[in-house]
Amino acid sequence: MDALRKEEIYTIDDIYALPDGERAELIDGKIYYMAPPGWKHQRISSYLHNQIYNYINSNNGKCEVLAAPFAVFLSEDDINYLEPDISVICDISKLDEKGCHGAPDWVIEIVSPSSRPMDYYKKLFKYRTAKVREYWVVDPDRKIVTVYNFEKDIMEEYSFTEEVPVGIYEEFTIRIE
């Protein structure tokens, strides 16, 4: 009888030991390597970051909007490390030079073909259980934004041509296209 093969558990130290330029995320001790983002992904990321930054800034907001690569440590363990495409953090005490310690208020992931299962399933579960208030999955291929408002337990989909309401800000909407 063959012994069961024990799966190796990786830690944040393994993430920090990656060669320069290599990016990965760590979920429950498993490493997920990330391909470099493409032009469409980066264009959407820049646009969203600018829209959110300008809204916060023009309303004298206290939240910070940060784009990847930026570390998010959802829990106090050393087996989870994520780099959301965009993080909005309103409790500035969670921030230090290493990243965000605890759940951001709002997370946006921009789907690429290789990240689809991660963004729609694994990360959805992690963000929800970590108490992220709002999670957007922006899908350039389908031209759809899936909005998970965890505070209200609501999931809604919007096309890129529609105004997407931001749950953590009552008066703020974003149209992707």
Side-chain angles (χ1 to χ4, degrees):
M1 183 164 84
D2 291 346
L4 291 177
R5 200 176 69 134
K6 188 175 179 185
E7 190 173 321
E8 188 165 355
I9 301 292
Y10 294 94
T11 69
I12 291 168
D13 289 339
D14 296 306
I15 294 291
Y16 288 137
L18 290 173
D20 282 349
E22 182 139 24
R23 290 182 51 216
E25 293 178 304
L26 183 67
I27 298 177
D28 298 328
K30 184 168 180 177
I31 291 181
Y32 296 90
Y33 293 93
M34 298 176 353
W39 170 80
K40 201 184 319 182
H41 178 286
Q42 288 302 90
R43 187 165 183 239
I44 292 170
S45 178
S46 294
Y47 172 75
L48 288 170
H49 182 275
N50 287 334
Q51 293 293 307
I52 297 164
Y53 175 84
N54 289 337
Y55 178 84
I56 292 169
N57 195 42
S58 66
N59 287 282
N60 297 314
K62 304 295 182 225
C63 301
E64 291 285 335
V65 57
L66 299 156
F70 179 74
V72 171
F73 307 94
L74 290 175
S75 50
E76 292 184 22
D77 61 37
D78 68 343
I79 59 169
N80 287 285
Y81 168 99
L82 294 167
E83 288 186 6
D85 290 313
I86 296 176
S87 302
V88 177
I89 299 106
C90 298
D91 178 356
I92 305 307
S93 71
K94 292 180 180 181
L95 298 173
D96 67 16
E97 286 305 310
K98 287 193 174 215
C100 176
H101 302 270
D105 293 85
W106 178 17
V107 170
I108 300 173
E109 294 285 5
I110 301 161
V111 177
S112 62
S114 63
S115 74
R116 187 171 297 282
M118 288 287 291
D119 295 335
Y120 278 106
Y121 302 107
K122 278 193 186 308
K123 289 183 182 180
L124 170 64
F125 177 76
K126 289 309 270 186
Y127 293 142
R128 183 182 192 118
T129 56
K131 305 281 191 254
V132 167
R133 293 167 60 197
E134 184 167 357
Y135 175 44
W136 287 19
V137 180
V138 178
D139 193 328
D141 291 340
R142 295 174 54 218
K143 293 189 181 326
I144 288 184
V145 180
T146 306
V147 176
Y148 299 91
N149 183 324
F150 296 134
E151 291 182 313
K152 295 181 179 173
D153 204 23
I154 296 171
M155 185 276 286
E156 297 174 302
E157 286 190 337
Y158 299 87
S159 76
F160 275 21
T161 59
E162 293 179 282
E163 293 287 333
V164 183
V166 176
I168 69 167
Y169 294 113
E170 281 189 28
E171 313 268 320
F172 185 27
T173 63
I174 300 175
R175 181 193 313 247
I176 306 290
E177 197 164 76

